[in-house]
Amino acid sequence: MPEPVPEAKPAEDAPPADGENQSTSLSGLFVEKPPESVVAVAGSDVTFVAKVDSSALTRKPTMKWLKGKWLDLGSKAGKHMQFKETYDRNTKIYTYEMKIIKVVVGDAGGYRCEVTVKDKCDSSTFEITVEAAHQEDQADILSAFKRADAGEDDGDLDFSALLKAAKKKKKPQKEEPEIDVWELLKSAHPSEYEKIAFQYGITDLRGMLKRLKKMKEVQKHSEAFLKRLESCYSVEKGKKIVMSCEVLDPNVQVKWLKNGQEIKPSAKYVMEAIGNVRTLTINKANLSDDAAYECVVGDDKCATEVYVKEPPITITKLMDDYHVVVGERVEFEIEVSEEGAHVMWYFEDQEIIKDKDSSKYRFKKDGKKHTLIIQEATLDDAGMYHAWTNGGHTKGELEVEEKELEVLQDIADLTVRATDQAMFKCEVSDDKVTGKWFKDGVEVLPSERIKMTHIGRFHRLIIDNVKPEDAGDYTFVPDGYALSLSAKLNFLEIKIDYVPRQDPPKIHLDTTGNMVSQNTIIVVAGNKLRLDVEITGEPAPTVVWSKGDEPITATEGRVKVESRKDLSCFVIEGAERGDEGNYSICVTNPAGEDKAVLFIKIVDVPDPPENVKCTGVGEDCATIVWEPPKFDGGAPIKGYLMERKKKGSSRWTKLNFDVYESTTYEAKRMIEGVLYEMRVFAVNSIGLSQPSLNSKPFMPIAPTSEPTRLMVHDVTDSTCTLRWLAPEKIGAGGLDGYVIEYCKEGDTEWVAANTDLCEKQGYVVRGLPVGEKINFRVVAVNIAGRSPPATLSQPVTIREVVEYPKIRLPRELRTKYIRKVGEKINLTIPFQGKPHPVASWFKDGQPVDPKMVNVRTTNVDSILFIRSAEREHSGKYELVLKIENMEDRASIDIRIIEKPGPPLNVRVTDVWGFNAALEWEPPKDDGNCEITGYTIQKADMKTKEWFTVYEHNRRTNCTVSDLIMGNEYMFRVYSENLCGLSEEPRFSKNTAVIAKTGLEQKQTSYKEKDMACAPKFTQPLVDRSVVAGYSTAISCSVRGFPKPKIVWMKNRMIIGEDPKFLMQNNQGVLTLNIRKPGTFDAGKYSCMAVNDLGQDEVECKLDVRVATDPDKK
């Protein structure tokens, strides 16, 4: 058997692998197994090979490579471990390979390969020992200083060996014969193992002892067991397993051990002993029953190992895809079929280990739910995540994009007077973003007068008691973003004129900030509008605010007016769409009047888009369209954001982070056959709308591939028959049917040959013009549409091809066809030829009579049918097949047979001794078949009972022997052919008389044996103790001849015809039945047997006790 060969050559002094140069015993399904033990050098490659013969198997075998007992290495396939499977069609042998790339110390341990086919299972265990890579032997300088004649540990170092070293010539060393270290170890004492190991360069002492132990194990002949336990047993979790062995002594007691501990009988562990067979049954096996078991008989024992296989764990809820930005939390959640299942998580092809990756990943189990949590996603976390169980796999994709900060409200310029308060406010899209404030490039630090706040998405800089030095450019810079927001603070100086005068009122509107033009102010819905209007005039003017023609006088509420000296404030708390309109401010004093008109425009996020629907799907994509929102929020729509989710899931995945301007979007990277839902958000300069209604569920489905192997099956003058095979790739959309199309050569317009889809893989195109060259193609159709067409390589000429007629006579009809009278005849004769040939039947040269024979002919065969065959149907039938002037003929010889008539002229021709000679003539009617023999029977004229003398006698004469002297015999004969015996026999015309001769019988003398004997009891009466009120019986047995007289006595008094007693005698067995005895029936009972030759007697004691009630005690 080939061994796993490391690609890197190990050091020469490495101990050989246990499996080298040794043949592995083959059993079960394996033709070739891996070696039991292999020593590999760290860093080298090693390959294991197993082969399975499938010639006697009904299905493909399944191979598993396991480490330890249950670690399935199939999930570890990658750069380190590779698995390969090949199949030889000639030898029908499957070859399985496991290759470990660059062996490491962690690969050491026990391995097992397990092959299963339906209800058959076989496994093979092997072990890998990993040794450190050997370095080239370095010169040991201390060896030069050792005394030449010293032992290993003797004396001090001797430097004299270095003196005059150049003058000394080395003596040629004799080549010592190579020593087998393992043979040396086997014969050495255990105390010398370590010394020998270091002497011959063996460093793995534990591996050496393990191998040496295996080498010393010799299979001893068992004196206690006829048949040992199997080497291993395999059982599924929850099922029953029975282990059995046979012992030499059927009466011996055995012990069953589990991992060295004795097993006590219970409902779970059932131990049975049936003859020499000892069985241990384990009911409802679980993982704790996966152990080593032993059956012990005295000092001898046999061992086995039980492997408990868990049922495959399936994944009932698949993993969702995620589309997040940097820093967001991600939770991949799945559900499995059973609680407590083991789930392995992978990122790409690397396993996520709980202890190793605990800082980045968290694992959560809640019943059947398993969750992988990423606290803060980074760009490096983007990729494919997998979840594996022993019976399922699911995957989900994580897309991570850089976080983009959106400014929802910019900083507005401010103009304030001395001692007033200035407040800069901005709003960004992320409420977690922090930032810094700068004035003219210098960071602003908080103080008693300057305060900075961060509440949600709003950042504010508040300056109390504004001073002239506070004027300047203020900038807010968010942390971590290349973004800044700037505004200007203007200081308003107030000059006091002490000369009293009258000035007409004047309205001073601030054209900065929210005012986009001289008379229009834009306010975001939900925000607060505070319009401070400076008013001048002497004396102080009267201010009136109005919306349209209605004055606004409220000083409290959502819409109000606040008045200060030289300042009028118009305030709207939480602006609404209804607040939009024309507003006017009118100021009057004795010196005049001034008026200003403002238009306040309320802008809001848009309404959600409408009519989101899927218009087309592909294999992994879908086309989504929608309508713009009815209300754009007062600001132009910038674009849209899309999200999707799997139906039934609650997790939405973002499809784009940049605003998408069109109302048609192609979603990609979807899974075929999975239902999805979409929703759309509208975006304007104010913000994001509410999501639209979910689209109707849609499923990415691709059309099938083109049909395969399109070919022309038949062509006539007006039809063409096509055949093809199903597409190689069908997909989740299935296959609804096929469309067959054709067009004339040179045309480009294809015509559909079928109106309804053709579900079969063949079709006859009819109504084609004769002599035209036609191109054909076939298209597969499913819910996703039409597949690419399968087209014939060249056009087909529509003209029937003349084919010579040919009758294909079945082999059984080429010889004489024999049937019995009354049987049914149904002969089907296939033929071929084009155009369709004409078939004619003839019998003995004449056309068949349709009244006697039924004939049915199709385009491909002709059927000759006879419902009930008669002898007149016999003859030579001929089928003639004609196409124009061409023909073919076939003949069938049909013979109808029945039972023959009786033979003729049966007579006794001679009688001598105990014999009689018979002769007869063949029957007149042989049943249309050859006579195969005759059956001869005889009968005594006294009893007239018939007995068969000969069967299948082929001649027309015979001799009947062993006739009884003094009797007269008559005879009868039956004819026989293939149908059987004739209905009636033919009786002999005369009889045969066997004459008596002078014979005398001698009587032998007979002496009658004397059977007389005196009575003797062979079974005595037995003392009994019975309960009063319960009937009882006492019995004994006696022999004697002549038959003795039986007398029953109680206390030496003969028991008469008392109805209480019933006496029985059955073939010498004597029984006295006592009906419901009382205490007075107790005493001595005796039985006496008396005849002419003597007597015998037996007696017993009967105790009658009164029953006691246990409750009264």
Side-chain angles (χ1 to χ4, degrees), residues 343-358:
V343 177
M344 293 184 291
W345 295 91
Y346 282 79
F347 173 54
E348 299 295 349
D349 57 350
Q350 298 293 325
E351 183 178 1
I352 302 174
I353 302 174
K354 184 175 182 180
D355 297 334
K356 181 180 177 182
D357 304 318
S358 59

Side-chain angles (χ1 to χ4, degrees), residues 711-763:
M711 58 180 292
V712 177
H713 181 70
D714 191 15
V715 179
T716 67
D717 288 341
S718 61
T719 65
C720 180
T721 303
L722 303 176
R723 295 284 187 272
W724 61 88
L725 295 180
E728 292 182 354
K729 182 181 178 183
I730 294 179
L735 178 62
D736 296 336
Y738 302 92
V739 174
I740 298 88
E741 298 176 336
Y742 65 92
C743 74
K744 295 182 180 180
E745 187 180 22
D747 289 353
T748 58
E749 182 179 355
W750 290 88
V751 179
N754 55 325
T755 55
D756 297 329
L757 291 179
C758 174
E759 297 182 358
K760 299 181 180 179
Q761 295 176 1
Y763 189 79

Side-chain angles (χ1 to χ4, degrees), residues 552-557 559-563:
I552 302 173
T553 59
T555 58
E556 298 292 339
V559 182
K560 59 186 177 180
V561 177
E562 297 178 357
S563 297

Side-chain angles (χ1 to χ4, degrees), residues 96-322:
Y96 302 91
E97 293 184 9
M98 179 182 75
K99 185 175 182 181
I100 304 178
I101 308 297
K102 295 183 181 180
V103 177
V104 297
V105 178
D107 294 327
Y111 290 76
R112 178 163 56 96
C113 58
E114 181 179 279
V115 61
T116 55
V117 182
K118 204 174 181 180
D119 54 349
K120 297 180 181 179
C121 176
D122 195 7
S123 65
S124 175
T125 58
F126 56 96
E127 188 168 341
I128 300 179
T129 303
V130 180
E131 288 188 351
H134 294 282
Q135 299 178 352
E136 295 183 358
D137 295 336
Q138 298 179 353
D140 185 5
I141 192 171
L142 296 181
S143 62
F145 304 112
K146 188 178 289 187
R147 294 195 187 101
D149 57 346
E152 187 177 1
D153 300 316
D154 292 345
D156 298 327
L157 300 179
D158 184 7
F159 293 86
S160 61
L162 294 178
L163 300 177
K164 300 179 181 180
K167 296 181 180 179
K168 292 184 180 179
K169 293 183 179 180
K170 293 184 178 180
K171 297 180 180 180
Q173 296 182 354
K174 297 181 180 180
E175 293 185 2
E176 298 181 358
E178 190 173 342
I179 299 174
D180 190 344
V181 182
W182 301 107
E183 292 296 330
L184 185 63
L185 285 167
K186 284 200 291 185
S187 59
H189 191 271
S191 61
E192 298 179 358
Y193 285 168
E194 186 175 1
K195 181 178 178 181
I196 296 173
F198 282 105
Q199 181 180 352
Y200 289 93
I202 300 175
T203 58
D204 187 3
L205 298 180
R206 181 176 297 177
M208 179 197 75
L209 293 175
K210 203 168 188 181
R211 178 178 174 182
L212 192 61
K213 182 179 179 182
K214 288 185 178 180
M215 294 176 66
K216 287 187 175 183
E217 287 180 355
V218 179
Q219 186 68 30
K220 297 184 295 184
H221 175 69
S222 174
E223 297 181 355
F225 291 94
L226 293 175
K227 181 181 177 182
R228 292 178 170 269
L229 295 169
E230 299 290 340
S231 59
C232 66
Y233 293 85
S234 178
V235 63
E236 293 185 2
K237 181 180 178 183
K239 298 294 182 65
K240 179 177 74 172
I241 183 172
V242 179
M243 296 176 282
S244 64
C245 61
E246 292 185 21
V247 295
L248 186 63
D249 184 1
N251 299 319
V252 73
Q253 297 292 327
V254 301
K255 289 184 180 179
W256 290 92
L257 306 181
K258 173 183 175 182
N259 289 336
Q261 300 294 324
E262 185 176 356
I263 303 174
K264 300 297 183 183
S266 63
K268 182 176 181 64
Y269 299 101
V270 180
M271 305 170 191
E272 294 179 301
I274 304 173
N276 296 78
V277 180
R278 300 294 184 267
T279 60
L280 172 63
T281 303
I282 305 176
N283 294 312
K284 295 182 180 179
N286 52 41
L287 293 182
S288 63
D289 297 320
D290 187 285
Y293 291 82
E294 293 176 329
C295 180
V296 180
V297 178
D299 296 332
D300 201 354
K301 61 183 178 181
C302 58
T304 186
E305 194 163 358
V306 173
Y307 298 100
V308 180
K309 298 187 292 185
E310 285 190 276
I313 305 298
T314 58
I315 299 176
T316 57
K317 180 183 178 183
L318 301 180
M319 194 186 302
D320 292 328
D321 297 332
Y322 281 81

Side-chain angles (χ1 to χ4, degrees), residues 437-509:
W437 292 88
F438 295 86
K439 175 179 179 285
D440 298 329
V442 180
E443 184 179 354
V444 178
L445 300 177
S447 63
E448 293 182 358
R449 198 168 56 88
I450 301 175
K451 298 177 183 178
M452 289 168 280
T453 63
H454 172 201
I455 302 174
R457 296 181 296 182
F458 292 93
H459 296 261
R460 292 180 176 87
L461 172 64
I462 302 172
I463 304 175
D464 294 327
N465 193 16
V466 175
K467 299 179 180 180
E469 57 267 23
D470 292 329
D473 292 327
Y474 285 83
T475 304
F476 175 73
V477 179
D479 293 336
Y481 295 91
L483 177 69
S484 63
L485 308 177
S486 300
K488 190 172 183 180
L489 176 62
N490 298 313
F491 183 77
L492 179 64
E493 290 190 32
I494 301 176
K495 295 182 179 180
I496 303 175
D497 189 0
Y498 294 99
V499 179
R501 66 176 183 270
Q502 283 189 348
D503 290 330
K506 181 67 175 176
I507 300 173
H508 302 275
L509 283 177

Side-chain angles (χ1 to χ4, degrees), residues 632-650:
D632 62 1
I637 299 294
K638 289 185 176 181
Y640 303 92
L641 297 177
M642 283 70 68
E643 290 184 349
R644 77 171 181 224
K645 74 176 182 72
K646 297 175 183 176
K647 185 180 180 182
S649 173
S650 59

Side-chain angles (χ1 to χ4, degrees), residues 857-1113:
T857 303
T858 66
N859 294 335
V860 294
D861 59 20
S862 183
I863 300 175
L864 179 70
F865 180 72
I866 302 175
R867 186 175 302 277
S868 179
E870 300 293 340
R871 289 180 64 171
E872 55 266 24
H873 290 134
S874 300
K876 186 175 182 180
Y877 290 79
E878 186 176 24
L879 172 63
V880 179
L881 201 63
K882 288 187 178 182
I883 299 178
E884 297 177 354
N885 59 346
M886 299 177 291
E887 71 173 26
D888 191 17
R889 294 172 177 266
S891 297
I892 304 172
D893 190 1
I894 299 178
R895 178 178 292 185
I896 309 300
I897 63 175
E898 61 180 347
K899 292 182 179 180
L904 304 175
N905 196 17
V906 179
R907 58 195 178 278
V908 179
T909 58
D910 193 10
V911 177
W912 71 96
F914 304 101
N915 309 304
L918 297 178
E919 289 184 3
W920 59 89
E921 296 175 3
K924 184 182 295 184
D925 181 11
D926 60 0
N928 203 22
C929 179
E930 180 185 358
I931 298 296
T932 58
Y934 300 92
T935 298
I936 299 94
Q937 295 182 344
K938 68 178 181 179
D940 186 357
M941 294 297 289
K942 296 179 182 178
T943 61
K944 300 237 179 131
E945 293 182 5
W946 292 97
F947 298 93
T948 300
V949 179
Y950 292 107
E951 289 181 328
H952 314 301
N953 185 66
R954 302 187 64 84
R955 294 179 294 178
T956 57
N957 56 71
C958 72
T959 300
V960 181
S961 303
D962 299 329
L963 299 177
I964 299 174
M965 183 182 298
N967 289 350
E968 183 180 0
Y969 292 90
M970 61 184 301
F971 303 92
R972 64 183 182 184
V973 182
Y974 290 87
S975 303
E976 183 178 5
N977 64 3
L978 290 178
C979 288
L981 297 176
S982 58
E983 295 290 346
E984 297 179 355
R986 182 72 67 186
F987 293 89
S988 60
K989 295 181 179 180
N990 53 350
T991 61
V993 179
I994 308 301
K996 293 184 178 180
T997 59
L999 297 178
E1000 182 180 354
Q1001 181 182 8
K1002 293 183 179 180
Q1003 296 289 342
T1004 58
S1005 59
Y1006 172 74
K1007 184 179 180 181
E1008 187 176 355
K1009 184 178 179 181
D1010 186 8
M1011 301 296 295
C1013 68
K1016 178 66 176 176
F1017 282 94
T1018 58
Q1019 181 67 34
L1021 294 173
V1022 179
D1023 293 344
R1024 298 202 60 183
S1025 177
V1026 298
V1027 179
Y1030 291 87
S1031 299
T1032 186
I1034 55 177
S1035 299
C1036 60
S1037 61
V1038 66
R1039 61 179 173 83
F1041 189 81
K1043 184 177 180 180
K1045 178 182 177 182
I1046 306 302
V1047 179
W1048 285 94
M1049 293 176 289
K1050 174 187 175 185
N1051 296 331
R1052 307 307 299 174
M1053 299 294 292
I1054 296 176
I1055 300 173
E1057 299 297 329
D1058 191 342
K1060 191 178 187 68
F1061 299 94
L1062 175 63
M1063 292 166 279
Q1064 294 177 327
N1065 183 351
N1066 184 12
Q1067 299 293 329
V1069 178
L1070 311 178
T1071 304
L1072 176 64
N1073 293 287
I1074 307 174
R1075 181 176 176 274
K1076 295 183 179 180
T1079 53
F1080 51 89
D1081 291 319
K1084 283 189 177 182
Y1085 287 80
S1086 58
C1087 180
M1088 179 184 296
V1090 181
N1091 68 1
D1092 297 339
L1093 299 180
Q1095 66 177 27
D1096 195 8
E1097 183 179 356
V1098 292
E1099 67 177 15
C1100 68
K1101 184 179 180 181
L1102 178 66
D1103 292 333
V1104 181
R1105 63 184 186 278
V1106 179
T1108 58
D1109 188 354
D1111 295 337
K1112 295 182 178 180
K1113 291 182 179 181

